[in-house]
């Protein structure tokens, strides 16, 4: 029903199926040190073109650190990041979009002005930028709300604006750092369905960071499990062979989904307890 791999030595995580897809994002022997603290150690894994991969692990294990490295916001101490086979050498690639956990909307800009801001920085013609912004406003279900300011929108609507702001730049890879964690449960599941609809249409490569194992299973093609820190590294991966399209409300009650949850939690439980004990001794680096 599913395939999984546990990583005991070398921390080198390979895709367990044999699909011959191009690697969109590749972590090659990545280590990250902050002074004497080794946050990430010898970590290797990849995200294929068009693949939706979630990365889960205990609080403070360095998930967001890996995302920041992929975005070009943080340089690894050792190792290399490749974007479609090319090394990422300083700065953020135009092929990569980043949807942050916290809101990054400009409060003095309307929804449509926030959506088109990236195009303006790229010197896109104003009429073309406005046309594209209206297109993405409609795609995220906010037609008629483009004139509103962020404080006039609900949390779910603001998150839709942020999603459109990222997608309008047409990145081939989207990095997502717990983007729906601040939303209530119902809105969160609606946004997860919206994300799946957008992803199904365009098949971007997504690296999705989450603490929520249920969310990871329901969204993903593959789930990568990280160890507790320090010296975080991948310990297991699971190919999620649930049929698509998926509905976030319905998929979580299927027997196959429940079985995935049991097995991934079994791989995570020891690391979660280890991270809890470590958190009592000092700071974490998520």
């Amino acid at each position: 029903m599913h395939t999984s791999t546990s990583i005991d030595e070398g921390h080198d995580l390979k895709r367990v199926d044999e699909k011959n897809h191009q690697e969109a994002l590749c972590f090659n022997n990545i280590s990250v040190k902050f002074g004497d603290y080794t946050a990430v150690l010898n970590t290797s894994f990849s995200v294929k073109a068009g693949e939706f991969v979630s990365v889960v692990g205990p609080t403070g294990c360095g998930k967001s650190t890996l995302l920041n490295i992929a975005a070009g916001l943080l340089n690894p101490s050792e190792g290399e990041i490749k974007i479609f086979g090319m090394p990422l050498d300083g700065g953020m690639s135009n092929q990569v979009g980043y949807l942050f956990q916290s809101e990054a909307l400009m409060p003095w800009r309307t929804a449509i002005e926030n959506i088109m801001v990236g195009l303006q920085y790229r010197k896109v013609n104003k009429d073309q930028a406005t046309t594209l912004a209206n297109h993405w406003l409609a795609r995220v279900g906010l037609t008629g709300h483009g004139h509103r300011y962020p404080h006039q929108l609900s949390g779910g609507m603001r998150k839709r604006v942020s999603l459109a702001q990222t997608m309008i730049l047409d990145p081939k890879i989207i990095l997502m750092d717990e983007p729906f964690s601040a939303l209530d449960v119902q809105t969160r599941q609606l946004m997860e369905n919206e994300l799946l609809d957008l992803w199904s249409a365009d098949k971007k490569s997504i690296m999705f960071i989450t603490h929520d194992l249920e969310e990871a299973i329901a969204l993903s093609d593959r789930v990568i499990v990280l160890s507790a820190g320090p010296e975080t590294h991948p310990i297991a991966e699971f190919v999620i062979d649930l049929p698509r399209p998926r509905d976030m409300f319905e998929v979580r009650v299927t027997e196959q989904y429940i079985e995935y949850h049991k097995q991934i939690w079994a791989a995570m439980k020891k690391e979660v307890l280890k991270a809890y004990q470590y958190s009592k001794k000092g700071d974490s680096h998520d």
Side-chain angles (χ1 to χ4, degrees), residues 105-110 113-114 149-150:
L105 300 180
M106 301 177 188
W108 61 90
R109 283 178 170 260
T110 63
E113 289 170 344
N114 268 289
Y149 290 89

Side-chain angles (χ1 to χ4, degrees), residues 13 45-47 51-57 63 67 176 195 206-226 236-238 240 244 246 264:
L13 188 61
F45 65 87
S46 64
V47 179
E51 187 180 30
F52 197 127
V53 174
S54 287
V55 179
V56 299
K63 298 183 294 295
L67 211 64
M176 309 187 81
L195 174 61
I206 295 181
M207 179 178 168
F208 191 95
I209 299 297
T210 180
H211 283 93
D212 188 335
L213 182 52
E214 294 185 3
E215 180 178 59
I217 297 168
L219 287 171
S220 305
D221 294 317
R222 188 161 48 105
V223 175
I224 294 172
V225 181
L226 298 181
E237 73 168 21
F238 295 80
I240 307 300
R244 294 191 186 273
R246 298 176 193 167
I264 300 176

